Amino acid sequence: MDKILVANWKMNPGTLTEAIELARGSDHEGVILCPPFIYLHTLKDEIMNAALGAQDLFWEGETGPFTGEVSARMLKNLGVSHVVIGHSERRKRFHETTEILNHKLKVALAAGLTPIVCIGEELEEKMSGQSEAVWQKQCAEIFKDIQTNSLIYIAYEPVWAISTNKNALPDTPENATHAINFICSIISSHSTTSVIPAEAGIFGVSPSSIKFLYGGSVNSSNAASFLDIPNVTGLLVGGASLKIPEWQKMMALI
Ligand code: 13P
């Protein structure tokens, strides 16, 4: 199967020794490991088959007076190939707006990093029937003025299905299929917008350069059902990527 698994370790594990052990147990082709920033440099030398991704980046400049931040160029120079943009935990806890995410996407693309852009609705938005409007708005704002043929992953991560949320609800492949097809249609349906080159899709992004991931409480028991969705290229996984036996079962699927 030609699919990928992205491991978003979030703020885990607690020590470098544990991070090395986890990376060695996760070193599989088609895997992208996204550890905390401070482990990236060491882990680069611990893996041979997996790729490295960052969980975030700063939206401005290559170097400069931005205390605590990390630039796209720093990541690229370190050997990082991918970067997660707009994870719902950052949007919620750090108040990242779609405008900020748009800037982050631009600097990631300019530096040659492959972005993994997270799209997804909150439970209240789902319950009030606004999911499609939310996906539409997030895509329109995050992809505003983006002109590229470079590969971009869009990860559909319904916030209500992420395992660390209180009262997380299980998602179904049917809902994920609907969401991903809808987001896919947003990307292609604006291809006639006048500001965009004729061969490109919405926002100047070529539809063929967009690939879709699914994330939200995926584990070894349900991974195959989400990987089987036709438009899904892979999975964005939190909790299950921290448990080597669990992760190894998932790696066997790709
Ligand atoms: P879980 O797999 O723990 O639900 O986390 C999903 C996620 O947030 C990955 O980015």
Side-chain angles (χ1 to χ4, degrees):
M1 212 196 262
D2 203 10
K3 305 241 171 175
I4 68 163
L5 290 178
V6 183
N8 178 8
W9 290 358
K10 308 191 179 182
M11 201 171 73
N12 298 291
T15 66
L16 179 59
T17 307
E18 291 170 284
I20 291 172
E21 193 187 332
L22 191 53
R24 287 181 183 163
S26 310
D27 189 18
H28 188 286
E29 206 172 319
V31 166
I32 299 155
L33 297 178
C34 302
F37 284 135
I38 59 158
Y39 299 145
L40 285 167
H41 186 256
T42 303
L43 296 192
K44 187 181 56 158
D45 297 326
E46 295 293 335
I47 52 176
M48 284 165 53
N49 303 304
L52 267 188
Q55 297 176 15
D56 187 30
L57 82 176
F58 189 55
W59 66 80
E60 201 182 304
E62 298 188 338
T63 55
F66 305 110
T67 304
E69 294 299 332
V70 174
S71 75
R73 182 176 136 202
M74 289 172 181
L75 294 171
K76 185 70 183 173
N77 288 346
L78 205 62
V80 170
S81 52
H82 294 68
V83 62
V84 177
I85 293 178
H87 192 281
S88 57
E89 286 153 13
R90 294 205 60 83
R91 282 191 269 131
K92 253 213 262 214
R93 303 290 291 267
F94 302 99
H95 310 291
E96 291 193 358
T97 61
T98 47
E99 191 186 358
I100 287 175
L101 306 186
N102 175 255
H103 289 304
K104 289 190 174 191
L105 180 55
K106 285 177 183 156
V107 295
L109 288 167
L113 294 167
T114 300
I116 300 167
V117 177
C118 300
I119 299 287
E121 77 285 7
E122 298 279 347
L123 182 61
E124 309 79 69
E125 292 166 335
K126 174 183 167 62
M127 297 316 267
S128 58
Q130 295 175 68
S131 299
E132 293 180 355
V134 170
W135 305 330
Q136 172 87 43
K137 184 167 167 14
Q138 288 178 349
C139 284
E141 293 175 359
I142 297 171
F143 285 86
K144 185 168 180 277
D145 300 330
I146 301 286
Q147 302 274 328
T148 187
N149 288 317
S150 301
L151 172 63
I152 299 176
Y153 289 104
I154 294 183
Y156 171 58
E157 285 212 321
V159 183
W160 46 268
I162 292 178
S163 69
T164 43
N165 286 338
K166 246 194 279 160
N167 311 322
L169 298 173
D171 197 1
T172 59
E174 290 70 33
N175 176 68
T177 303
H178 169 68
I180 287 167
N181 286 344
F182 187 90
I183 296 166
C184 193
S185 74
I186 299 170
I187 300 294
S188 348
S189 69
H190 287 60
S191 56
T192 54
T193 305
S194 57
V195 291
I196 289 169
E199 72 280 11
I202 186 172
F203 329 116
V205 177
S206 160
S208 61
S209 70
I210 302 276
K211 294 192 171 180
F212 292 91
L213 307 178
Y214 176 76
S217 295
V218 183
N219 53 43
S220 65
S221 311
N222 61 12
S225 64
F226 290 105
L227 280 172
D228 279 348
I229 298 172
N231 271 337
V232 165
T233 298
L235 305 172
L236 177 55
V237 185
S241 70
L242 297 168
K243 301 173 194 140
I244 293 179
E246 182 72 358
W247 188 241
Q248 284 179 339
K249 283 187 208 155
M250 296 170 74
M251 289 192 297
L253 298 172
I254 63 169

